[in-house]
Amino acid sequence: MKPVGLFQIRRTYKNLGRFRDIVNVFLKHGLGQIIEGLELHQYAPIRWWYKPLHKRLAREETVSLPERLRIALEELGPTFIKFGQLLSTRPDIVPREYVKAFDSLLDQVPPFASEQARQIIESELKSPLSELVAKFHDAPLAAASIAQVHRATLWSGEEVVFKVRRPGIQEVVKQDIDILHRVADLIERYVPDLAFLNARGLVEEFQQVIQEEMDFLREAENASRFKANFEGSKELYVPKVFLHLTTQQVLVMEYLEGTRIDDLDKLREAGVDLDKLARRGSDVLFKMILTDGFFHADPHPGNFLILSNGQLGFVDFGVVGRIREDLLDAMGSTFIGLLNRDYDALTRQSINLGFVPDNVDLE
């Protein structure tokens, strides 16, 4: 047997229990058709096989398929929640009804014990917590799939948040990524109608994103770069990062008080001009993309706050995007061509950006 084959067998055996968990969750939510389509029925419980075929594949008509899939992803935990969130940002390849369902995926899991958070902080920073902070709030501000956040007050009087990576999350993510690669292979083998998804490419993209998101040193660098890019800006405020208190597993940043950008009722009550806010957000977006070539790539509402002075505030920097300088130039020229209605320039830039197939008659 080839070494690759041995490796695949070993990896499949190692993930056998998790495979069965996934299959059971899918069956629980009436997703038997997906199990059948991916040839994963060998992992199904024996009792499932005693059901008539039409019952094994039956749909729960009261809840749509996209909604049932969303619920299943939430139940499967951190990696699958994050993967669903990635899919919700790809309306170019994912059907609209699935994008809508996955967009509401809750990146909330039960918090881990505050004592564990304290131990991780002390282990990473090599100091008792009492020497690092004057006050530490045991109740987390938020508990998400990758980390949870605790508010604290430094001895200097500065209000901060400690973002602490969830214990054991690296092992969980690694196992689930292996399984997603296996599922992507099965999709390409057994479901040719979904070839347009490029399942393997999606999983590889997701793997890179989630690995970057778990490295808080990288996130600290991202935040510091954003702060430099928007120094003195009236549109956007970027919190200070306390680099001397930051490691791969612990990130300490300035605490921001504000209202979520999607809490429109509260914003209206506070007298926020929503039209002005939209223009401010557009200005920030265009600066990130067209001037800096460095942009926030996880734009869900929980990552953006509106501060009391009307500024937009970023609170998460785990996922960013970069644009090459040549692509920046082409994009800028495209916008100028649009504004000037210069169709010859638009044609040239469409070619430069690769939007025009080779077989098109350019004349």
Side-chain angles (χ1 to χ4, degrees):
M1 183 176 291
K2 295 180 180 179
V4 173
L6 286 171
F7 173 75
Q8 289 176 336
I9 290 173
R10 193 159 52 240
R11 187 174 66 178
T12 301
Y13 180 76
K14 179 182 176 183
N15 296 331
L16 185 60
R18 182 59 170 160
F19 258 120
R20 285 177 174 158
D21 289 342
I22 292 167
V23 168
N24 282 331
V25 169
F26 271 46
L27 295 178
K28 172 183 172 182
H29 294 291
L31 299 169
Q33 290 169 312
I34 295 177
I35 301 304
E36 284 283 347
L38 296 179
E39 298 284 335
L40 289 172
H41 45 269
Q42 68 265 35
Y43 300 108
I46 295 296
R47 65 181 182 278
W48 189 64
W49 287 102
Y50 285 99
K51 291 183 179 180
L53 182 63
H54 71 280
K55 288 188 176 182
R56 277 193 259 143
L57 302 184
R59 294 187 178 188
E60 298 177 18
E61 296 297 343
T62 55
V63 182
S64 70
L65 180 58
E67 278 298 314
R68 280 182 279 132
L69 188 52
R70 176 191 64 79
I71 294 168
L73 293 177
E74 283 185 356
E75 188 169 332
L76 288 171
T79 314
F80 289 87
I81 290 171
K82 287 289 182 184
F83 190 59
Q85 288 175 339
L86 171 66
L87 294 178
S88 75
T89 67
R90 297 299 306 271
D92 53 322
I93 56 175
V94 177
R96 184 178 298 274
E97 61 269 26
Y98 287 87
V99 168
K100 185 177 179 181
F102 294 165
D103 191 49
S104 61
L105 271 166
L106 298 175
D107 190 9
Q108 296 180 350
V109 294
F112 57 90
S114 61
E115 186 57 38
Q116 281 184 292
R118 288 171 172 265
Q119 289 172 358
I120 293 169
I121 293 168
E122 291 180 340
S123 174
E124 287 291 299
L125 299 179
K126 307 292 189 290
S127 294
L129 191 57
S130 59
E131 293 181 6
L132 300 170
V133 301
K135 185 176 182 180
F136 184 84
H137 296 258
D138 284 324
L141 281 175
S145 52
I146 300 298
Q148 71 183 34
V149 178
H150 292 263
R151 190 173 175 181
T153 306
L154 300 182
W155 285 108
S156 63
E158 293 167 292
E159 294 293 324
V160 300
V161 291
F162 277 76
K163 184 175 181 179
V164 185
R165 196 166 71 188
R166 187 171 286 274
I169 189 63
Q170 278 188 306
E171 292 74 19
V172 171
V173 168
K174 184 179 185 304
Q175 183 181 41
D176 285 348
I177 289 288
D178 281 347
I179 290 172
L180 285 173
H181 277 295
R182 173 67 174 150
V183 170
D185 290 340
L186 293 174
I187 288 174
E188 296 199 353
R189 182 183 305 174
Y190 295 115
V191 196
D193 289 346
L194 296 181
F196 66 91
L197 281 176
N198 185 15
R200 289 178 183 170
L202 272 176
V203 173
E204 288 170 4
E205 176 187 348
F206 172 66
Q207 182 175 2
Q208 180 180 348
V209 166
I210 199 167
Q211 285 176 344
E212 289 183 1
E213 197 170 352
M214 287 192 295
D215 183 351
F216 292 168
L217 285 174
R218 185 188 294 270
E219 182 172 351
E221 291 174 3
N222 294 340
S224 297
R225 181 169 174 182
F226 275 117
K227 191 160 187 67
N229 288 348
F230 284 91
E231 194 66 43
S233 170
K234 295 180 179 179
E235 278 71 40
L236 177 70
Y237 184 80
V238 178
K240 173 184 175 182
V241 177
F242 294 80
L243 292 173
H244 68 290
L245 296 175
T246 296
T247 70
Q248 280 194 325
Q249 295 189 58
V250 175
L251 172 64
V252 181
M253 301 177 68
E254 176 185 359
Y255 171 72
L256 293 188
E257 184 80 54
T259 304
R260 276 177 56 126
I261 198 169
D262 61 341
D263 193 344
L264 300 183
D265 291 338
K266 192 171 181 180
L267 291 174
R268 289 191 185 99
E269 287 175 11
V272 175
D273 184 333
L274 298 185
D275 289 336
K276 186 176 180 180
L277 176 60
R279 289 193 295 272
R280 177 167 285 162
S282 297
D283 289 343
V284 168
L285 177 66
F286 284 127
K287 174 174 163 44
M288 286 191 298
I289 292 178
L290 296 178
T291 303
D292 303 330
F294 183 75
F295 61 93
H296 198 294
D298 190 15
H300 76 76
N303 287 340
F304 302 103
L305 298 176
I306 307 305
L307 309 184
S308 58
N309 63 359
Q311 278 184 301
L312 184 64
F314 285 177
V315 295
D316 189 292
F317 306 89
V319 186
V320 300
R322 296 169 178 81
I323 302 175
R324 299 191 319 269
E325 193 165 338
D326 60 329
L327 186 56
L328 269 180
D329 290 340
M331 291 171 66
S333 298
T334 299
F335 273 96
I336 292 171
L338 281 169
L339 291 172
N340 294 333
R341 298 187 179 183
D342 184 344
Y343 301 113
D344 287 337
L346 283 175
T347 301
R348 288 195 302 273
Q349 295 309 325
S350 295
I351 295 169
N352 292 340
L353 290 168
F355 295 154
V356 179
D358 293 337
N359 60 353
V360 169
D361 184 335
L362 298 181
E363 291 300 323

